[in-house]
Amino acid sequence: MTRRLSPELLDSLPAADPAALRSRRDLLRVNWVMGNAAWFAKAVPTVKLAGEAAIELGAGDGTLARRLGTAGLDLQSAPTDWPPDRMWHCGDLLNFANWADYPVILGNLILHHFDDAALRALGTIFNRHARVLLFSEPRRARRFLALWAVAAPLGGANHVTRHDGRVSIEAGFAPGELPRLLGLASDWDCREETTALGAIRLIAVRRP
């Protein structure tokens, strides 16, 4: 199944649009069902050293970053309830100037938004600055498209979520693909796992 990027409806809707608000609630439920936040909460302490700063890419409403105690980086400004003692960076990933401050980088359902060229550019940045990478992304496979086509309507997802979930899976990754696209060579220890519900998860740690 060839990787294909298509526009997501949520990206084109005003933040206060009722369909957008409903879709964001859907996404919270999807993340909970998939166990994404629980996986990060379990995985991060196993690879993060004491005193290391971490940042979540595409932090959105800050839910995951708050739970993990990380900084946030997003195109949008910090949420109104963001802790005043926690860093929030507003900007584009490819033009972010503070990578050197964050040896631990994580992201939930963010990298599938980038084409192969942009992923290579991000990989160059990660290879220069990061020690640890943790990502949870959609697993690209026809069986997960079929699962989503059944589960999303049964779960009450609205039309925006149903559409965006499908195109997210189409833009997702097969095993071994994300380390290759990011250019994580022999100086990284990479571990991947695929879940029964369609997540592909990567933990990459730079060798000493």
Side-chain angles (χ1 to χ4, degrees), residues 71 98 115 144-145 161 167 192 207:
N98 297 93
D115 62 23
F144 294 122
L145 282 174
T161 308
V167 301
E192 283 186 303
R207 293 193 178 102

Side-chain angles (χ1 to χ4, degrees), residues 148-173:
W148 179 252
V150 173
L154 287 177
N158 75 349
H159 70 284
V160 174
T161 308
R162 294 197 301 270
H163 172 275
D164 288 358
R166 175 180 57 78
V167 301
S168 292
I169 294 169
E170 293 172 345
F173 303 98

Side-chain angles (χ1 to χ4, degrees), residues 66-206:
R66 269 192 294 265
R67 175 170 178 174
L68 299 177
T70 74
L73 170 59
D74 198 272
L75 290 172
Q76 305 299 320
S77 300
T80 55
D81 59 349
W82 184 250
D85 60 343
R86 189 86 51 76
M87 288 297 300
W88 183 278
H89 303 276
C90 182
D92 180 84
L93 271 62
L94 292 171
N95 296 309
F96 183 51
N98 297 93
W99 289 113
D101 296 335
Y102 299 102
V104 179
I105 298 171
L106 57 99
N108 181 45
L109 305 179
I110 180 67
L111 293 185
H112 69 277
H113 293 283
F114 294 88
D115 62 23
D116 292 3
L119 289 171
R120 285 193 291 271
L122 281 173
T124 298
I125 295 169
F126 297 160
N127 274 290
R128 186 178 303 129
H129 297 294
R131 190 187 70 81
V132 175
L133 305 171
L134 302 101
F135 293 106
S136 182
E137 293 293 329
R139 167 69 166 92
R140 190 179 75 252
R142 296 191 187 283
R143 68 182 182 276
F144 294 122
L145 282 174
L147 176 62
W148 179 252
V150 173
L154 287 177
N158 75 349
H159 70 284
V160 174
T161 308
R162 294 197 301 270
H163 172 275
D164 288 358
R166 175 180 57 78
V167 301
S168 292
I169 294 169
E170 293 172 345
F173 303 98
E177 196 169 34
L178 193 49
R180 177 180 60 80
L181 289 170
L182 292 174
L184 305 182
S186 58
D187 54 341
W188 291 86
D189 285 322
C190 296
R191 290 175 284 154
E192 283 186 303
E193 64 177 42
T194 296
T195 73
L197 294 179
I200 186 164
R201 291 166 176 163
L202 170 68
I203 300 177
V205 180
R206 189 190 298 275

Side-chain angles (χ1 to χ4, degrees), residues 18-75:
L21 295 173
R22 169 63 184 277
S23 184
R24 291 189 182 92
R25 290 195 296 270
D26 291 343
L27 290 174
L28 290 174
R29 187 163 63 249
V30 169
N31 272 294
W32 179 80
V33 170
M34 294 183 72
N36 292 335
W39 176 77
F40 279 105
K42 181 179 179 181
V44 169
T46 68
V47 290
K48 181 179 177 291
L49 301 179
E52 281 188 320
I55 190 167
E56 183 197 357
L57 311 185
D61 67 359
T63 298
L64 181 60
R66 269 192 294 265
R67 175 170 178 174
L68 299 177
T70 74
L73 170 59
D74 198 272
L75 290 172

